[in-house]
């Protein structure tokens, strides 16, 4: 991936530490959020010591009925709460019971967002303790519907909205955010939300959801997270004509106007928060995503989850699947449906890993990987009309117009869908894969569930239970011929929280491809024989905090090895250090 982006940068490499960059930043645990501070007494500071009615309205410090008798006296809460004192565990039990009464996932999403706005710790306690049940609620697939209806369900801002109206004043806008010690920013321009297209300003649901997972799954403090939506307009006519649309009602800015605006934003972020703030690009259109990653990869700590995060989690699944398939990565042939950010990003990381294992040149390992886009198989005769990020995948072959013919011609052992178009792995395509392979590996990665290339049930049924299957959004286990098949979920949430946390705890100042490979290997290493026996190539999400700690440790180790870490001295045990730095949602005792 770095080799491809390096070409776009005119030869500049991440490890060069561009002279255009400066070192600064640093954070402290203001609210007592890390595991290491769990048993310490804290003061509920806002702008002053919060007490009485204001304390109950402050989501950082509010504990509801869990305030003790002593705390109620000390902080002027007498009479403002009913007399009962209940534990956080009982609050959690009550809220989970209430959530389970909702039949509509969007209603559960809205209830969770309302909880976050009034009691932050309880929100994360629920999410951490019930991650497998609530992950589909706060993130994909429900977050897609939430973004589509964001204008209707909007209650209060959960992040920063930076529109073209703020051109020339972005630094001032950043300073309006109440927190100063920001470690992770997730930013979108809303042009390509999941598989749903241009949702403009309503794409804010994605940064909000991603950062909730940074905290719940990765351990980054909520006070250190900042969701941002860049509003440069929308080309979605339905939104432009919607009286309830909350964004700019104009066509998208493009070209120089767009890139100048983004450059002002990137400059302002570094000026306000320093060198070590992680900026995660999310759901940008293909052409902008590659351009921004190439432009800022050597001057900022930047990461694109659609390109790099997806690639890392898929590579982890592929490495783990070798225990079921046999052989090494270089023994397999890969065919992708979809040649956008996700497809080309995954393809490049696979080629990098094969190159690392076999010592073969990258140009050679790319030849094991084929991509199909809307015009058919990407071949060398199409090179003149291809976008720049597709050109490395244009191999010598006669033209092939559709996926089924491509499967028959290329004879892949692994079929990967990143097209964003549902039902494209048809019965004929899956049966062709089954006829070529004893255990065909089928990854239907497009989100949300409605856009998945095929369902788990289809994949297992059409291959008579021989497929190894994983998807982007969750599917229930499938019963077939008396056997239970547990589909894997190649969810980026396995990777980006741990990766980001590893960058934070090491004080890293750049993201390097070797860190992505380290994250993939760490995730694959968490799959046990028990999981393999069920046909799983990813570990269950119930262990995600432990998984994230190992990923963070591996990423941090690689940052120190590459000379990109600034937090010195290096901790002796990085896994233990990562666990001690993780945010915990347990209530603190107040002075």
């Amino acid at each position: 991936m770095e080799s491809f982006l390096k070409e776009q940068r005119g030869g500049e490499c991440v490890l060069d530490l561009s002279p255009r960059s400066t070192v600064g930043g640093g954070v402290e645990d203001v609210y007592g959020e890390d595991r290491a501070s769990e048993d310490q007494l804290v003061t509920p500071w806002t702008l002053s010591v919060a007490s009485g009615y204001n304390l109950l309205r402050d989501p950082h410090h509010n504990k509801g009925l869990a305030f003790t008798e002593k705390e109620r006296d000390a902080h002027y809460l007498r009479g403002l709460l009913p007399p009962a004192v209940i534990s956080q565990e009982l609050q959690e039990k009550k809220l989970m019971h209430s959530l389970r009464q909702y039949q509509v996932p969007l209603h559960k999403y809205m209830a969770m967002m309302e909880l976050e706005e009034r009691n932050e710790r309880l929100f994360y306690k629920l999410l951490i303790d019930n991650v497998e049940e609530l992950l589909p609620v706060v993130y994909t697939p429900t977050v897609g519907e939430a973004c589509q209806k964001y204008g209707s369900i909007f209650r209060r801002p959960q992040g920063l909205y930076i529109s073209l109206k703020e051109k020339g004043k972005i630094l001032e806008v950043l300073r309006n955010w109440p927190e100063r010690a920001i470690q992770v920013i997730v930013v979108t321009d809303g042009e390509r939300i999941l598989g749903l297209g241009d949702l403009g300003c309503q794409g804010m649901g994605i940064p909000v959801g991603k950062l909730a997972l940074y905290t719940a799954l990765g351990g980054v403090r909520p006070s250190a997270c900042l969701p941002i939506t860049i509003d440069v307009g929308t080309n979605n006519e339905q939104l432009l004509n919607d009286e309830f649309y909350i964004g700019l009602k104009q066509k998208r800015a493009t070209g120089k106007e767009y890139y100048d605006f983004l450059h002002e934003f990137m400059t302002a972020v570094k000026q306000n928060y320093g060198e070590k703030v992680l900026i995660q690009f999310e759901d940008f259109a293909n052409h902008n995503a590659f351009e921004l990653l190439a432009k800022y990869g050597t001057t900022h700590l930047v990461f694109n989850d659609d390109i790099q995060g997806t690639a890392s989690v898929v590579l982890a699944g592929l490495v783990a699947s070798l225990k079921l398939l046999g052989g090494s990565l270089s023994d397999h042939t890969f065919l992708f449906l979809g040649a956008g950010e996700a497809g080309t990003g995954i393809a490049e990381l696979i080629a990098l890993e094969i190159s690392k294992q076999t010592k073969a040149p990258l140009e050679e390992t790319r030849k094991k990987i084929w991509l199909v886009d809307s015009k058919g198989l990407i071949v060398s005769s199409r090179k003149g009309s291809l976008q720049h990020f597709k050109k490395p995948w244009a191999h010598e072959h006669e033209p092939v117009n559709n996926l089924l013919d491509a499967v028959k011609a290329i004879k892949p052992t692994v079929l990967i869908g990143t097209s964003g178009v549902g039902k494209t792995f048809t019965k004929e395509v899956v049966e062709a894969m089954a006829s070529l392979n004893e255990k065909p590996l089928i990854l239907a990665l497009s989100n949300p569930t409605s856009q998945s290339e095929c369902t788990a049930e289809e994949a297992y049924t059409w291959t008579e239970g021989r497929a190894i299957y994983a998807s982007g959004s969750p599917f229930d286990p499938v019963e077939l011929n008396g056997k239970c098949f547990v589909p894997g979920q190649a969810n980026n949430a396995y990777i980006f929280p741990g990766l980001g946390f590893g960058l934070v705890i090491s004080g890293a100042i750049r993201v390097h491809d070797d860190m992505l490979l380290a994250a993939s290997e760490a995730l694959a290493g968490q799959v046990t024989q028990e999981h393999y026996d069920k046909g799983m190539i990813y570990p269950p999400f119930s262990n995600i905090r432990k998984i994230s700690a190992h990923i963070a440790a591996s990423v941090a180790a690689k940052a120190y090895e590459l000379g990109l870490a600034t937090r010195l001295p290096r901790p002796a045990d990085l896994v233990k250090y990562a666990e001690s730095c993780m945010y915990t949602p347990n209530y603190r005792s107040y002075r």
Side-chain angles (χ1 to χ4, degrees):
M1 203 169 300
E2 174 63 19
S3 61
F4 167 67
L5 294 171
K6 192 174 175 181
E7 292 171 22
Q8 285 190 269
R9 299 181 187 123
E12 198 170 43
C13 171
V14 164
L15 294 176
D16 292 340
L17 297 183
S18 170
R20 293 175 283 147
S21 63
T22 56
V23 178
V27 294
E28 58 180 320
D29 184 6
V30 184
Y31 296 113
E33 296 170 299
D34 293 354
R35 177 168 294 176
S37 66
E38 259 190 328
D39 299 325
Q40 299 172 10
L41 288 172
V42 298
T43 302
W45 285 96
T46 51
L47 294 175
S48 58
V49 178
S51 63
Y53 191 77
N54 289 336
L55 181 53
L56 296 177
R57 291 295 179 270
D58 186 323
H60 290 305
H61 303 299
N62 179 29
K63 300 197 284 187
L65 290 177
F67 282 109
T68 64
E69 299 287 357
K70 185 179 175 183
E71 288 169 336
R72 294 180 190 209
D73 284 331
H75 294 284
Y76 308 100
L77 296 172
R78 287 291 175 193
L80 299 178
L81 289 167
V85 176
I86 66 174
S87 67
Q88 190 178 21
E89 288 68 29
L90 192 56
Q91 288 179 317
E92 178 183 0
K93 182 180 177 182
K94 176 187 171 186
L95 280 164
M96 285 306 299
H97 176 74
S98 297
L99 278 172
R100 287 168 182 149
Q101 305 310 305
Y102 290 113
Q103 300 301 311
V104 179
L106 185 62
H107 294 166
K108 292 184 180 182
Y109 174 89
M110 292 170 68
M112 286 294 288
M113 293 303 106
E114 286 166 4
L115 175 61
E116 185 181 21
E117 289 170 8
R118 71 173 185 271
N119 188 332
E120 188 176 81
R121 287 187 188 275
L122 190 53
F123 168 83
Y124 285 111
K125 179 79 171 159
L126 257 69
L127 190 49
I128 290 167
D129 291 351
N130 305 276
V131 63
E132 290 183 300
E133 183 175 349
L134 294 180
L135 186 63
V137 174
V138 300
Y139 197 55
T140 181
T142 310
V143 74
E145 185 184 359
C147 287
Q148 288 176 308
K149 299 175 179 176
Y150 209 76
S152 301
I153 66 174
F154 179 80
R155 295 290 182 271
R156 54 183 282 188
Q158 295 173 289
L160 277 179
Y161 295 86
I162 302 176
S163 76
L164 289 172
K165 290 181 179 179
E166 283 75 58
K167 185 171 175 59
K169 299 182 288 188
I170 293 179
L171 183 58
E172 294 173 38
V173 174
L174 291 176
R175 287 173 176 163
N176 287 341
W177 188 249
E179 305 296 345
R180 293 288 175 264
I182 299 299
Q183 293 174 318
V184 182
I185 290 170
V186 176
V187 59
T188 185
D189 70 352
E191 189 168 2
R192 195 198 60 83
I193 297 297
L194 301 175
L196 304 171
D198 186 349
L199 296 183
C201 192
Q202 297 186 170
M204 178 59 96
I206 297 296
V208 169
K210 288 276 183 179
L211 286 167
L213 301 188
Y214 260 110
T215 297
L217 313 187
V220 179
R221 304 177 213 134
S223 63
C225 296
L226 174 55
I228 295 179
T229 291
I230 302 284
D231 187 356
V232 294
T234 178
N235 293 336
N236 186 326
E237 290 295 335
Q238 189 177 345
L239 292 179
L240 291 172
N241 296 320
D242 183 355
E243 63 178 324
F244 298 120
Y245 179 54
I246 59 175
L248 285 181
K249 289 196 174 183
Q250 65 177 61
K251 292 288 188 181
R252 280 189 171 273
T254 57
K256 187 175 186 302
E257 183 184 11
Y258 177 85
Y259 286 111
D260 285 352
F261 191 63
L262 264 292
H263 187 69
E264 183 189 348
F265 167 73
M266 296 297 290
T267 304
V269 165
K270 185 186 282 192
Q271 188 175 343
N272 203 43
Y273 300 119
E275 184 88 358
K276 291 179 277 189
V277 62
L278 172 63
I279 304 168
Q280 178 173 314
F281 296 122
E282 195 66 41
D283 288 349
F284 284 74
N286 290 343
H287 53 287
N288 292 328
F290 285 102
E291 182 70 28
L292 293 170
L293 192 57
K295 183 173 182 179
Y296 296 107
T298 57
T299 60
H300 292 66
L301 182 66
V302 294
F303 168 71
N304 186 303
D305 192 41
D306 303 301
I307 300 172
Q308 296 164 296
T310 303
S312 189
V313 76
V314 172
L315 178 60
L318 293 174
V319 170
S321 70
L322 295 176
K323 288 275 181 72
L324 298 170
L325 296 172
S328 63
L329 277 180
S330 59
D331 297 326
H332 291 274
T333 303
F334 305 86
L335 179 63
F336 286 76
L337 177 63
E341 294 169 57
T344 55
I346 298 165
E348 186 72 1
L349 206 61
I350 294 170
L352 274 169
E353 181 70 5
I354 295 174
S355 177
K356 179 183 165 189
Q357 291 176 359
T358 63
K359 310 300 182 198
L362 192 58
E363 292 72 21
E364 197 61 34
T365 59
R366 283 174 177 159
K367 292 176 182 175
K368 302 287 292 180
I369 303 165
W370 298 80
L371 278 70
V372 173
D373 65 7
S374 59
K375 294 182 173 62
L377 191 67
I378 294 177
V379 292
S380 52
S381 60
R382 292 179 53 196
K383 230 170 187 175
S385 62
L386 290 173
Q387 293 164 286
H388 60 86
F389 54 85
K390 295 181 182 180
K391 288 182 179 178
W393 311 103
H395 309 317
E396 286 293 334
H397 196 282
E398 62 189 38
V400 178
N401 294 325
N402 60 69
L403 178 62
L404 179 59
D405 289 344
V407 168
K408 292 174 179 176
I410 302 301
K411 296 179 172 53
T413 52
V414 181
L415 180 63
I416 302 174
T418 62
S419 62
V421 182
K423 307 297 181 189
T424 41
F425 288 176
T426 62
K427 187 179 184 203
E428 292 75 21
V429 167
V430 174
E431 286 178 343
M433 284 292 295
S435 70
L436 294 166
N437 303 282
E438 178 59 32
K439 291 183 178 177
L441 178 54
I442 298 171
L443 305 180
L445 303 179
S446 294
N447 290 316
T449 313
S450 60
Q451 304 304 113
S452 185
E453 283 80 8
C454 71
T455 67
E457 185 175 4
E458 288 168 343
Y460 293 128
T461 303
W462 294 338
T463 61
E464 299 172 331
R466 289 189 284 120
I468 300 168
Y469 175 88
S471 56
S473 289
F475 284 102
D476 292 330
V478 176
E479 290 278 349
L480 184 69
N481 299 328
K483 188 176 179 183
C484 181
F485 296 90
V486 182
Q489 188 185 355
N491 193 323
N492 293 20
Y494 277 115
I495 288 288
F496 72 81
L499 173 70
F501 193 54
L503 296 170
V504 167
I505 64 173
S506 63
I509 54 174
R510 297 293 177 271
V511 176
H512 190 275
D513 281 346
D514 285 356
M515 297 175 184
L516 304 178
L517 296 176
S520 297
E521 289 161 9
L523 175 56
Q526 296 297 307
V527 186
T528 66
Q529 188 59 48
E530 181 187 350
H531 303 141
Y532 287 126
D533 291 344
K534 295 177 182 175
M536 298 166 65
I537 55 175
Y538 292 101
F541 263 108
S542 54
N543 299 328
I544 189 63
R545 299 270 283 191
K546 176 190 166 197
I547 294 165
S548 291
H550 280 85
I551 291 173
S554 296
V555 169
K558 189 58 69 174
Y560 283 107
E561 182 186 318
L562 294 169
L564 294 173
T566 62
R567 189 151 295 163
L568 301 172
R570 170 181 168 155
D573 188 329
L574 282 169
V575 175
K576 280 189 176 175
Y577 179 63
E579 289 173 344
S580 74
C581 292
M582 277 185 161
Y583 168 81
T584 58
N586 300 329
Y587 288 146
R588 302 302 196 256
S589 297
Y590 295 152
R591 291 182 179 90

